[in-house]
C-alpha cells in the first residue's frame, strides 16, 4: 500500500451494470433491458526468496579437485496473507556435495534434492516482521574446466506454498 503499508487479506469488489433499449421486433417485445453483476476478487500474497552464500573453508578461490565449503542461507518473506505448507526446494549439481543443514532441511542423495519444509508463513513476514531464514552447508569440488568460473552451488531454488486466504498456490 501507500507509504509501505502491508494490507492483509486484500480484496476488490467489481460491479457491472448494463442497460439498453431493446428495439421492437416481430413478436412485439420492446423496452428497457437491464442486467447487473457483482463479484469479489481475493488477491494472493507475494512471497519472496532471498539466497546468500558465504565461504567457510578450503581453497579460495576454488582449486580443481580440492573441496571448498560454503554456507548458504535462504531467507523468506511473505506479504499479505498466511501461506501454508511453505517449502523451498532445489537440486544440487553433481560437483556439489551436501554437508549439513538447519532444522527442517532434508537432503535426498538419490535425487540430489534439498528441501526446507517451512510450514506456515504468517502474513507480513519480512514486512516488518523478521524474515524466516535457514542455512545449510555444501562442499564444492570444481573440475579443471570450472576453475576461474563462477559456478552455481545449487540449481534454481523455488519457494512455494498455498495462500490460505485466496486459496491458490503461490511461488517465487
Amino acid at each position: 500500500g501507500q507509504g509501505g503499508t502491508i494490507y492483509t487479506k486484500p480484496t476488490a469488489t467489481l460491479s457491472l451494470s448494463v442497460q439498453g433499449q431493446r428495439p421492437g421486433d416481430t413478436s412485439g417485445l420492446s423496452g428497457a433491458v437491464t442486467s447487473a453483476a457483482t463479484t469479489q476478487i481475493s488477491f494472493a500474497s507475494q512471497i519472496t526468496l532471498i539466497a546468500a552464500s558465504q565461504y567457510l573453508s578450503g581453497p579460495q578461490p576454488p582449486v580443481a579437485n580440492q573441496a571448498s565449503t560454503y554456507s548458504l542461507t535462504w531467507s523468506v518473506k511473505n506479504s499479505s496473507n498466511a501461506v501454508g505448507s511453505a517449502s523451498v526446494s532445489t537440486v544440487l549439481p553433481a560437483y556439489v556435495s551436501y554437508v549439513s543443514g538447519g532444522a527442517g532441511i532434508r537432503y535426498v542423495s538419490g535425487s540430489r534434492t534439498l528441501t526446507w519444509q517451512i510450514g506456515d508463513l504468517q502474513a507480513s513476514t519480512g514486512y516488518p516482521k523478521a524474515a524466516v531464514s535457514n542455512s545449510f552447508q555444501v562442499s564444492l569440488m570444481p573440475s579443471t574446466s570450472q576453475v576461474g568460473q563462477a559456478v552455481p552451488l545449487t540449481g534454481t531454488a523455488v519457494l512455494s506454498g498455498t495462500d490460505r486466504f485466496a486459496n491458490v498456490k503461490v511461488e517465487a
Side-chain angles (χ1 to χ4, degrees):
Q2 201 171 35
T5 302
I6 297 294
Y7 296 104
T8 58
K9 300 182 179 177
T11 62
T13 302
L14 302 176
S15 298
L16 174 67
S17 348
V18 178
Q19 88 183 24
Q21 194 67 28
R22 181 186 348 218
D25 63 14
T26 57
S27 67
L29 295 175
S30 64
V33 176
T34 62
S35 184
T38 301
T39 189
Q40 186 168 344
I41 299 171
S42 299
F43 293 95
S45 206
Q46 180 177 345
I47 56 176
T48 305
L49 173 63
I50 302 163
S53 64
Q54 179 182 4
Y55 164 78
L56 294 178
S57 65
Q60 183 66 3
V63 174
N65 303 314
Q66 292 185 35
S68 294
T69 306
Y70 296 85
S71 180
L72 288 91
T73 300
W74 284 333
S75 296
V76 172
K77 294 181 177 185
N78 175 30
S79 64
S80 55
N81 307 323
V83 172
S85 303
S87 67
V88 181
S89 187
T90 190
V91 175
L92 297 183
Y95 52 85
V96 173
S97 299
Y98 176 75
V99 176
S100 64
I105 291 183
R106 183 172 158 240
Y107 178 67
V108 178
S109 58
S111 63
R112 306 190 56 75
T113 303
L114 185 99
T115 304
W116 173 26
Q117 294 294 338
I118 302 166
D120 289 342
L121 280 174
Q122 293 180 0
S124 303
T125 297
Y127 310 99
K129 296 176 187 173
V132 177
S133 299
N134 207 339
S135 297
F136 58 96
Q137 292 69 48
V138 295
S139 178
L140 167 67
M141 182 75 75
S143 66
T144 53
S145 66
Q146 293 171 318
V147 173
Q149 304 292 319
V151 294
L153 296 174
T154 70
T156 301
V158 177
L159 166 62
S160 63
T162 301
D163 184 305
R164 293 202 186 276
F165 176 66
N167 199 29
V168 295
K169 182 176 179 175
V170 289
E171 196 170 274

